[in-house]
Amino acid sequence: MKLSYEGYRETLSKLSRMYRNSYRHDGHKAAQPWREMMRQVRADYPEHSDRYTREALGFPPKKEVA
């Protein structure tokens, strides 16, 4: 199943929230699985990952080649 870009952002946001909460309450070792899941989502959707990074850093969108 492919995620839309909006679904990708929502998924990363939820995983990030779970990672932060787990790290805050239980420490680094308990938070590692959430971090690994975030890495896996980024690896599974490189096209969304690139766009997300560019937007977060304030770079202009990539030009589409016609």
Side-chain angles (χ1 to χ4, degrees):
M1 183 173 110
K2 284 295 220 179
L3 280 178
S4 67
Y5 179 67
E6 290 77 22
Y8 172 82
R9 289 185 62 175
E10 184 179 326
T11 300
L12 275 185
S13 177
K14 287 178 181 178
L15 288 172
S16 181
R17 189 176 318 116
M18 295 301 292
Y19 171 77
R20 284 191 314 269
N21 289 340
S22 183
Y23 190 90
R24 185 179 305 129
H25 297 291
D26 302 319
H28 177 70
K29 287 189 181 197
Q32 271 311 107
W34 297 111
R35 189 164 181 85
E36 292 301 322
M37 282 189 250
M38 288 191 302
R39 286 183 183 142
Q40 187 60 50
V41 169
R42 286 187 193 110
D44 289 345
Y45 297 95
E47 67 281 4
H48 294 330
S49 183
D50 183 52
R51 178 179 171 188
Y52 184 79
T53 302
R54 293 183 71 75
E55 287 179 0
L57 295 176
F59 291 114
K62 251 185 176 175
K63 300 287 185 213
E64 294 295 324
V65 177

